[in-house]
Amino acid sequence: MSISSLVKDLRDKRISSEEILDTYFKKAYIENKELNCFISISEEYTRKKLANSKIESELSFIPGVIKDNINVKGTISTAGSKVLENYRSPYTATVVKNLGNFALIGKGNMDSFAFGSSTENSGFGVTKNPLDKNKVPGGSSGGVAAAVASDLVLFGIGTDTGGSVRQPAAFCGLVGLKPTYGLCSRFGLIAMGSSFDVPGIITKNVTDCSIVLNSIAGFDSNDSTSIKVAKKDYTKFPKLDNVKVGVMKFPQDGVSREVLDSFDSSIDTLKKMNVELIDIDFKYINYSLAVYYILVPAEISSNMSRYDGIRFGDHPKGGYSSISDFYKDARDKFEDEVKRRIMIGTYTLSQGYFDAYYNKATQVRNLIKMEFSDVFKDIDFLISPTTPTLPFDIGKKINDPLEMYLSDIFTVTANLIGYPAISIPNKKFGNLYSGLQIFGRPFEEDRLLSLSYLIESKLWR
Ligand code: GLN
């Protein structure tokens, strides 16, 4: 079932909005026991919100999941962390408001505060990949991807700071879009790395993705980095002429045979589509992951300082002899990866290391940005794999943070430079899929979706 087909059924009265809610909530309770893709199921909230609602948009009554680090007033938003186990936001994120009267089925499980690539860092248990329950669904928006892949919802909104929408989409055989930084409001997203974070979309196909982007994109004065751009109808895929697609050259060690094969076969597919392919050998891109894992923890360490047990997080109980004991107790609840990132970030920002790490990484980030804008003078799109491997086994990388970080090698660059990037299913291996990542020019999501749609049609129809 896709968004467009359910909308049609709803408008032609083959199904009623009550039937949608009954069916989808019933399924959610049953499947969530096994998959653990929702941290909470939002039945009470949604039935109340949709009582007396009418069809007013393409997403009216359409079941969706919102990642649990996106605030929805009237629900709990944990950001996947025990620290926010009982946190009720006093306001709703702009992207959620923009979705209108969709049916929120549940809040998606995630790595705590979105730090991770497998959803194993969640304070609320791991989510299973519905395509193979021994595998991770990817992360950090693993719950969102698992819910879409198992048909518990028709779309999901996640956040993407270094790949958290594209990578789980790839691991669950779905479409995942990270829009240009500034196109969709960050207001109401629980911050991770503020100069990297964007809300993103996970759907089963490119058309559904464009329907959701239509509703969430737009300027928001509540987000100081939101950018005013002319409104587009993303469902009208523009015609693409004389398309030039860059093919990213990358070191092959650490990239699995399946991924290399499927990337090669997507190049063959593009060749048959009459697009011009140009090999691109980037000078600085090999530094992306290192730069990301310096700058993001730095921003994290600053963003996490608000969880002091006073403004956010439960007040620790008991008599304290000092304020530092109070803080220590409040912050002891942080999951291991959260502590690790705060420590790395604090280290790279501290006196003596600031220039060597933070400043240096900022400079390299700028070089990567400049190199991209140069390269994009000659190409319209760029392709790479989304992930270096197919979904890995639950437990396989959790005790090896560096190994885990390496799974983000292809996705972090788009966040460093703010460009839009999408992952679409590339090739099937048993029940699992590899993903193809396509970068577009900033604010050209319409063209990016158009090319993605063409490739999707060639590969899967
Ligand atoms: N996996 C990456 C990280 O752990 C990306 C996370 C994200 O995009 N939220 O930093």
Side-chain angles (χ1 to χ4, degrees):
M1 181 65 82
S2 66
I3 296 182
S4 18
S5 52
L6 186 58
V7 167
K8 206 161 178 309
D9 286 353
L10 191 62
R11 297 201 177 184
D12 298 346
K13 301 204 160 37
R14 273 191 296 274
I15 190 165
S16 69
S17 55
E18 291 77 30
E19 280 167 324
I20 293 183
L21 296 188
D22 291 347
T23 318
Y24 279 86
F25 279 117
K26 193 171 159 206
K27 273 204 291 192
Y29 289 113
I30 297 170
E31 299 283 330
N32 198 45
K33 285 201 183 93
E34 160 108 57
L35 291 175
N36 196 30
C37 54
F38 300 119
I39 291 181
S40 53
I41 293 179
S42 316
E43 181 165 13
E44 208 186 313
Y45 164 89
T46 298
R47 291 206 184 261
K48 212 163 119 196
K49 175 180 137 186
L50 296 186
N52 310 318
S53 233
K54 290 187 186 51
I55 297 183
E56 51 194 44
S57 80
E58 212 70 358
L59 292 178
S60 295
F61 304 107
I62 301 299
V65 53
I66 304 289
K67 191 176 179 180
D68 216 18
N69 60 346
I70 303 180
N71 290 332
V72 182
K73 187 180 172 178
T75 71
I76 289 178
S77 302
T78 67
S81 176
K82 286 282 181 194
V83 168
L84 293 180
E85 195 164 12
N86 303 308
Y87 176 64
R88 289 181 174 274
S89 165
Y91 68 100
T92 295
T94 302
V95 285
V96 177
K97 265 197 186 146
N98 288 350
L99 290 169
N101 62 349
F102 77 107
L104 176 66
I105 301 300
K107 301 288 304 286
N109 197 3
M110 56 182 287
D111 291 292
S112 54
F113 292 102
F115 310 165
S117 316
S118 65
T119 315
E120 291 164 292
N121 294 332
S122 169
F124 302 91
V126 60
T127 298
K128 291 182 183 164
N129 188 325
L131 306 180
D132 177 342
K133 297 198 174 98
N134 296 313
K135 308 277 181 197
V136 302
S140 61
S141 314
V144 170
V148 177
S150 52
D151 239 328
L152 300 183
V153 292
L154 300 189
F155 73 95
I157 303 292
T159 59
D160 191 313
T161 303
S164 280
V165 158
R166 288 159 287 156
Q167 189 255 18
F171 275 13
C172 293
L174 302 166
V175 170
L177 173 72
K178 175 208 119 45
T180 311
Y181 187 83
L183 181 70
C184 303
S185 171
R186 289 184 297 115
F187 183 66
L189 267 53
I190 296 179
M192 174 177 170
S194 307
S195 76
F196 297 78
D197 298 341
V198 293
I201 300 165
I202 297 183
T203 52
K204 290 186 204 160
N205 59 49
V206 176
T207 304
D208 282 359
C209 181
S210 64
I211 295 173
V212 179
L213 185 63
N214 262 358
S215 74
I216 69 166
F219 176 74
D220 179 13
S221 58
N222 282 323
D223 171 1
S224 62
T225 56
S226 175
I227 294 180
K228 266 190 190 136
V229 282
K231 201 128 188 95
K232 287 181 178 171
D233 181 353
Y234 296 102
T235 58
K236 294 208 167 75
F237 301 129
K239 201 167 169 304
L240 303 172
D241 290 319
N242 307 321
V243 177
K244 290 187 190 150
V245 177
V247 179
M248 187 192 286
K249 283 190 141 188
F250 53 86
Q252 309 211 330
D253 42 308
V255 183
S256 75
R257 198 66 259 156
E258 291 99 334
V259 170
L260 292 173
D261 284 352
S262 57
F263 190 58
D264 285 347
S265 66
S266 60
I267 294 173
D268 290 340
T269 308
L270 280 163
K271 275 186 191 147
K272 283 186 211 128
M273 289 167 60
N274 266 334
V275 300
E276 189 182 337
L277 294 172
I278 303 171
D279 282 334
I280 309 280
D281 199 357
F282 286 94
K283 199 162 152 204
Y284 298 112
I285 209 168
N286 290 347
Y287 298 104
S288 284
L289 195 71
V291 169
Y292 175 89
Y293 274 101
I294 290 174
L295 295 181
V296 169
E299 294 192 17
I300 286 172
S301 78
S302 142
N303 273 324
M304 298 309 287
S305 62
R306 61 173 67 95
Y307 304 101
D308 53 9
I310 298 170
R311 290 169 297 172
F312 294 99
D314 290 338
H315 289 271
K317 312 244 170 345
Y320 292 93
S321 50
S322 71
I323 185 81
S324 53
D325 279 353
F326 176 89
Y327 280 164
K328 200 167 155 259
D329 229 37
R331 294 166 76 79
D332 210 36
K333 277 199 199 158
F334 278 142
E335 291 73 20
D336 287 350
E337 184 63 21
V338 181
K339 292 179 184 166
R340 184 177 294 123
R341 302 243 179 159
I342 295 173
M343 285 193 277
I344 298 174
T346 308
Y347 180 84
T348 60
L349 287 175
S350 55
Q351 202 187 6
Y353 298 106
F354 186 87
D355 281 335
Y357 293 106
Y358 184 81
N359 273 350
K360 194 54 130 201
T362 306
Q363 286 165 346
V364 181
R365 183 184 193 181
N366 282 330
L367 285 176
I368 296 170
K369 257 187 211 165
M370 280 169 357
E371 190 176 23
F372 258 78
S373 73
D374 250 14
V375 164
F376 265 83
K377 285 183 189 135
D378 301 322
I379 56 172
D380 307 286
F381 304 98
L382 173 74
I383 57 166
S384 77
T386 308
T387 60
T389 65
L390 297 185
F392 43 90
D393 287 344
I394 292 175
K396 182 162 176 234
K397 299 192 179 180
I398 192 66
N399 295 319
D400 188 346
L402 281 183
E403 189 59 32
M404 188 73 90
Y405 297 169
L406 279 168
S407 35
D408 308 327
I409 192 134
F410 292 116
T411 47
V412 294
T413 307
N415 303 76
L416 287 171
I417 60 175
Y419 280 39
I422 193 169
S423 177
I424 61 173
N426 189 352
K427 206 170 171 179
K428 204 163 184 217
F429 296 91
N431 282 336
L432 302 172
Y433 295 81
S434 61
L436 175 69
Q437 179 173 234
I438 315 165
F439 296 71
R441 291 208 187 91
F443 300 106
E444 290 192 356
E445 277 78 358
D446 52 342
R447 288 168 54 82
L448 179 59
L449 288 162
S450 187
L451 180 70
S452 307
Y453 180 77
L454 290 175
I455 301 176
E456 178 188 65
S457 314
K458 274 269 180 285
L459 289 177
W460 303 106
R461 275 192 279 273

